[in-house]
Amino acid sequence: MRKPSASLINADPAVWHYGPEFKSDLVAENHAAFVKTLTDAGVEIFWMAEDDGGIADAVFTYDASLVTPAGAILMSPGKVLRAGEQHLHRAFYDAHDIPIVGAITGTGRAEAGDTLWLDDETLIIGRGFRTNTVGAGQIRDIMADLKIDTHVFDLPVYTGAEACLHLMSLISLVDTKTALVCMPLLPVGLLELLNDKGFDLIEAPFAEFEQSGALSTNVLATAPGECIMLDGLPETHAALVDAGINVRLFRGDALCIGCEGGPTCLTRPLLREPIAV
């Protein structure tokens, strides 16, 4: 994780495409509330260096790299203002002796928010405004070398190229075979794959999806059947609880809704403990 920096606190909302909910004086408080929720859930946190190179969005550490069983892949962010953010991640991995097994290069653009592990052997990729065809293809090639099955799905235009709509805006796993989804925007091929793999789907109420700027579905699983989500979305919360999911809430409107990044985006998972059998 990375703590909010001066680059974020002093960011120009018009330049960074932040919304009216962005309140610079509340960002640190929102982030601290999320960190406490994580530690209460038993998560161990490794902090990245505070210097973010002037990239306000660098607090959303999920996007600039992707971790595989063999090591990390450096992404190449599709948001122009985030160009080069992957080098901050390289420095972190080098400092912690975590191998780097590949990188998106050339004209390839990819953000890890457009990727999701369905299981240990299956990665899905969203092709959209942040991840282009070249970038998706490079991820597939790296994964093929690691014997990982990949599936690429086109994302909807929805509100346009300036907004942040990742694949993970449309689906979050909350258990090993259960996912919270935005059904109206879910690619048909992805729905078919989820059905083929026997997933139970929890439909996120679309009104709250729109209200939250596509963040009601951005929930972070901390263990099978346990997750963290933004407070203030009662219908989505109820849908998860009714499905038997244990939910922790935190207040994060000024940071998350304001800056277009939810609890998942604020983390870069490195290692998840295997499930005890």
Side-chain angles (χ1 to χ4, degrees):
M1 296 185 70
R2 186 191 303 278
K3 294 178 180 178
S5 67
S7 300
L8 176 59
I9 303 300
N10 300 320
D12 183 340
V15 172
W16 286 90
H17 199 263
Y18 294 165
E21 295 86 356
F22 174 62
K23 300 290 188 297
S24 60
D25 58 329
L26 296 178
V27 162
E29 179 181 317
N30 280 188
H31 194 267
F34 177 57
V35 170
K36 184 180 187 306
T37 307
L38 280 173
T39 56
D40 286 348
V43 175
E44 182 182 5
I45 298 174
F46 292 81
W47 291 103
M48 300 184 75
E50 292 188 15
D51 182 6
D52 60 11
I55 302 174
D57 281 353
V59 70
F60 298 113
T61 53
Y62 199 93
D63 293 321
S65 64
L66 172 66
V67 173
T68 77
I73 301 172
L74 300 178
M75 299 285 102
S76 180
K79 185 175 182 177
V80 175
L81 291 171
R82 299 185 76 172
E85 188 179 336
Q86 65 270 30
H87 302 306
L88 303 176
H89 286 229
R90 180 190 292 277
F92 173 86
Y93 294 129
D94 287 347
H96 289 82
D97 296 322
I98 297 172
I100 296 171
V101 297
I104 306 305
T105 61
T107 60
R109 297 291 176 266
E111 296 183 4
D114 284 326
T115 67
L116 177 65
W117 291 95
L118 285 188
D119 52 44
D120 291 343
E121 300 175 347
T122 310
L123 182 80
I124 58 175
I125 304 167
R127 188 178 73 89
F129 293 119
R130 301 297 183 90
T131 298
N132 64 14
T133 301
V134 176
Q138 290 181 16
I139 296 173
R140 292 193 75 164
D141 290 344
I142 296 169
M143 290 298 168
D145 291 340
L146 300 177
K147 311 302 182 187
I148 301 294
D149 190 24
T150 56
H151 302 262
V152 180
F153 303 100
D154 280 349
L155 301 181
V157 172
Y158 192 44
T159 59
E162 294 301 315
C164 182
L165 185 81
H166 281 135
L167 173 71
M168 292 189 70
S169 304
L170 307 180
I171 175 172
S172 290
L173 265 60
V174 292
D175 206 335
T176 52
K177 286 291 184 179
T178 304
L180 175 69
V181 300
C182 176
M183 191 64 77
L185 299 181
L186 204 67
V188 172
L190 176 52
L191 176 62
E192 293 173 343
L193 178 62
L194 293 168
N195 288 336
D196 288 345
K197 284 185 168 288
F199 273 82
D200 293 321
L201 303 182
I202 304 168
E203 295 191 32
F206 196 64
E208 289 189 348
F209 179 86
E210 293 185 303
Q211 167 198 331
S212 64
L215 289 175
S216 66
T217 45
N218 188 308
V219 303
L220 174 65
T222 53
E226 300 183 9
C227 71
I228 298 172
M229 68 171 289
L230 285 165
D231 198 0
L233 301 164
E235 293 183 19
T236 307
H237 181 204
L240 288 164
V241 171
D242 288 348
I245 307 300
N246 180 26
V247 183
R248 297 174 189 262
L249 303 171
F250 77 101
R251 174 58 65 180
D253 289 7
L255 171 61
C256 293
I257 296 179
C259 300
E260 298 187 303
T264 299
C265 307
L266 288 166
T267 68
R268 164 35 53 207
L270 300 173
L271 176 67
R272 296 178 185 271
E273 295 294 337
I275 303 169
V277 178

